[in-house]
Amino acid sequence: MSTILEKIAQIEGEMARTQKNKATAGHIGLLKARLAKLRRELITPKGGGGGPAGDGFDVAKTGDARIGFVGFPSVGKSTLLTTLAGVYSEVAAYEFTTLTTVPGCIKYKGAKIQLLDLPGIIEGAKDGKGRGRQVIAVARTCSLIFIVLDVLKPLGHKRIIEKELEGFGLRLNKQPPNIVFRRKDKGGINLQTMTQQSELDLDTVKTILSEYRIHNADITLRYDATADDLIDVVEGNRIYVPCIYLLNKIDQISIEELDIIYKIPHCVPISAHHKWNFDDLLEKMWEYLKLVRIYTKPKGQLPDYNSPIVLNRDHRAVEDFCNKLHRSIIKEFKYGLVWGSSVKHQPQKVGKDHVLEDEDVVQVVKKV
C-alpha cells in the first residue's frame, strides 16, 4: 500500500514540475495514465475478493433510488438526515461523530428514496487515509450525491471533496466522453478526429495507450478531448453521477451573500437545523434523479394513484414497466392501454417498446 502511495506522490510531484506545452503533452499523458492505473490498484487490491469492506459500510440497496451524503466531518450531514428522514444519526459538536454508514428512507412523490449518511471524508481519502476508501466505495453505488458544505468555508472543501471523488473514478455532473474506442488484433493505432484537437495528437494517444499495452485500436474523437477523457474511456470503470452541493448553515450569513450563492450552478442553500429551504432541495433532488411515475390500472377498476411504479427516465418503455411489476408479465404481454401525455388518444393501444411519460396510467392486457 505505502509503495503505491509513494509512487502516486512521486508522479504527482513530477506532473507539478513539468511545464505544460505541445512538446511535453505526450509525457504528461503518460504520467496521467500511470496515475490512473495506480489509483485503480488502490481501489481494487490485487488478489481478488477485495477483502472485507469494513463494518457497517455495505448497506443493502432498497427503494427506487439511493442518495449518498458526502462531506467533511461536522458540516451537518447527520442533522440533515435526521430532519429529512426522521432517522437518528448521532450528532455532536466534535468532528468524526458518524463512524459507519447510517441509512434512512424518505417517500417523495410516491418514490421511496434511500438516504445514506456516509462518515466524514478527510483529505487523502482516495489514498487510503481514514475510512475514506470505504466511504467512496459506497458513494459509487448511489444514484445521486449530496455534497454537504459549510457555507462559511465552501470552496476549499468543495475542491478537496471533488478531487477525492474524482480520484476514485466518480465523475460529478458530467457526461461520458464522446470517444469511440475499439480494440483490434492488428493494424496499429488508427486515430480519427471530427474536430480540431488542442491536446491530443496521434503520438500522445499512442504514448497513453502503450502504458496500457494497447498497440492496436481504432479511436474516434468527436470533440476536443483531453488526455483525462481518453484515460477514462480506456479504464472503463468510471461512474457518471449527478451531484447537488448543499450549502448548510445559511442562518449564519447575510441576505446579500445568499443572493450570490443562489447563482452557483448545482447548489442549494439550506439550514438543516432550522429546516429552511427543504422544499427547494427536494424539488432539485427529484429533477436530478430523473425519475418517472407510472400508475397501474387493473381491468375494470380505477387507477392506483397511491403507489406508482417508479422508473428511470432513460429506461421507461412499457417493457421496463412490466419487468418492474414482475419478470413473468412480459412473456404473457399482448398489448398495453395507456392514458396520459405519451399518447395521442385516451386510451391508446401500445406495444412493449412504447416510451412512457411521467404520471401515465397503464393497463396491461395479457395473452389468453
Side-chain angles (χ1 to χ4, degrees):
M1 172 72 81
S2 58
T3 52
I4 295 177
L5 294 177
E6 282 161 16
K7 282 180 189 169
I8 286 176
Q10 215 173 340
I11 291 171
E12 281 177 341
E14 195 176 337
M15 277 170 68
R17 286 193 302 274
T18 308
Q19 278 189 328
K20 286 189 173 76
N21 55 44
K22 269 274 191 277
T24 60
H27 180 60
I28 288 174
L30 180 71
L31 293 176
K32 283 179 174 175
R34 278 188 191 152
L35 202 57
K37 280 172 71 180
L38 289 167
R39 291 251 167 84
R40 189 181 61 212
E41 275 181 47
L42 264 184
I43 307 172
T44 52
K46 282 179 183 169
D55 307 327
F57 278 94
D58 25 6
V59 177
K61 202 168 183 175
T62 58
D64 301 303
R66 186 181 221 187
I67 298 176
F69 287 72
V70 178
F72 270 82
S74 300
V75 288
K77 296 195 300 296
S78 301
T79 314
L80 185 58
L81 185 77
T82 309
T83 41
L84 271 178
V87 174
Y88 184 71
S89 178
E90 197 179 331
V91 180
Y94 54 85
E95 299 197 338
F96 294 111
T97 327
T98 309
L99 295 173
T100 59
T101 303
V102 178
C105 195
I106 58 168
K107 205 166 181 187
Y108 185 67
K109 293 190 178 180
K112 287 193 187 78
I113 297 163
Q114 188 182 32
L115 305 175
L116 296 181
D117 177 15
L118 303 172
I121 275 193
I122 56 167
E123 201 170 346
K126 66 179 185 302
D127 304 329
K129 285 186 193 165
R131 278 272 179 96
R133 279 175 62 193
Q134 292 106 317
V135 175
I136 300 178
V138 175
R140 279 175 70 97
T141 66
C142 296
S143 346
L144 171 66
I145 288 181
F146 281 170
I147 292 184
V148 188
L149 302 165
D150 191 327
V151 79
L152 300 174
K153 40 186 175 184
L155 290 175
H157 280 184
K158 176 175 180 276
R159 231 173 285 142
I160 293 165
I161 290 171
E162 282 175 343
K163 195 179 168 198
E164 297 300 316
L165 294 175
E166 294 231 328
F168 259 87
L170 274 157
R171 298 288 176 265
L172 305 175
N173 293 328
K174 284 183 185 171
Q175 292 299 318
N178 197 352
I179 296 175
V180 178
F181 169 70
R182 255 187 237 100
R183 291 188 188 215
K184 53 187 185 180
D185 296 331
K186 55 188 176 186
I189 302 290
N190 178 25
L191 178 68
Q192 281 186 315
T193 55
M194 302 282 187
T195 55
Q196 184 82 32
Q197 297 295 317
S198 57
E199 191 174 317
L200 291 176
D201 55 18
L202 186 57
D203 292 336
T204 312
V205 169
K206 278 183 175 173
T207 311
I208 291 170
L209 293 180
S210 68
E211 182 58 31
Y212 288 95
R213 302 208 174 102
I214 298 169
H215 303 293
N216 301 297
D218 289 333
I219 292 139
T220 309
L221 305 176
R222 291 179 174 163
Y223 68 108
D224 186 6
T226 63
D228 290 321
D229 293 340
L230 180 62
I231 290 165
D232 283 355
V233 171
V234 176
E235 283 276 340
N237 63 350
R238 303 296 187 238
I239 290 176
Y240 296 86
V241 65
C243 164
I244 298 175
Y245 302 98
L246 308 184
L247 294 167
N248 192 15
K249 307 183 184 176
I250 54 168
D251 47 316
Q252 298 176 9
I253 60 168
S254 66
I255 297 287
E256 290 78 19
E257 287 171 308
L258 193 58
D259 287 341
I260 295 166
I261 283 168
Y262 245 111
K263 291 171 186 162
I264 304 169
H266 313 298
C267 267
V268 179
I270 55 158
S271 169
H273 183 65
H274 294 287
K275 301 184 185 174
W276 290 350
N277 208 19
F278 275 17
D279 302 349
D280 208 8
L281 165 63
L282 290 169
E283 204 49 59
K284 199 150 190 142
M285 171 195 82
W286 184 258
E287 181 195 324
Y288 277 54
L289 282 172
K290 295 181 178 172
L291 297 177
V292 173
R293 293 157 295 173
I294 311 294
Y295 301 110
T296 54
K297 182 188 179 304
K299 196 176 178 184
Q301 293 177 32
L302 287 169
D304 179 7
Y305 288 116
N306 294 324
S307 46
I309 301 294
V310 179
L311 302 172
N312 191 295
R313 208 178 291 163
D314 301 331
H315 305 284
R316 53 191 166 116
V318 174
E319 186 171 357
D320 300 312
F321 167 77
C322 291
N323 287 336
K324 191 87 188 257
L325 278 172
H326 198 277
R327 286 279 174 204
S328 65
I329 290 180
I330 202 69
K331 290 173 190 162
E332 301 163 11
F333 180 84
K334 189 177 181 187
Y335 61 86
L337 288 172
V338 176
W339 291 258
S341 56
S342 70
V343 289
K344 283 183 182 174
H345 311 291
Q346 312 290 338
Q348 187 170 317
K349 222 167 156 180
V350 298
K352 63 177 184 180
D353 296 327
H354 174 76
V355 176
L356 299 163
E357 289 293 341
D358 191 27
E359 299 201 272
D360 276 2
V361 174
V362 179
Q363 179 183 326
V364 175
V365 179
K366 295 182 182 178
K367 292 172 190 165
V368 181

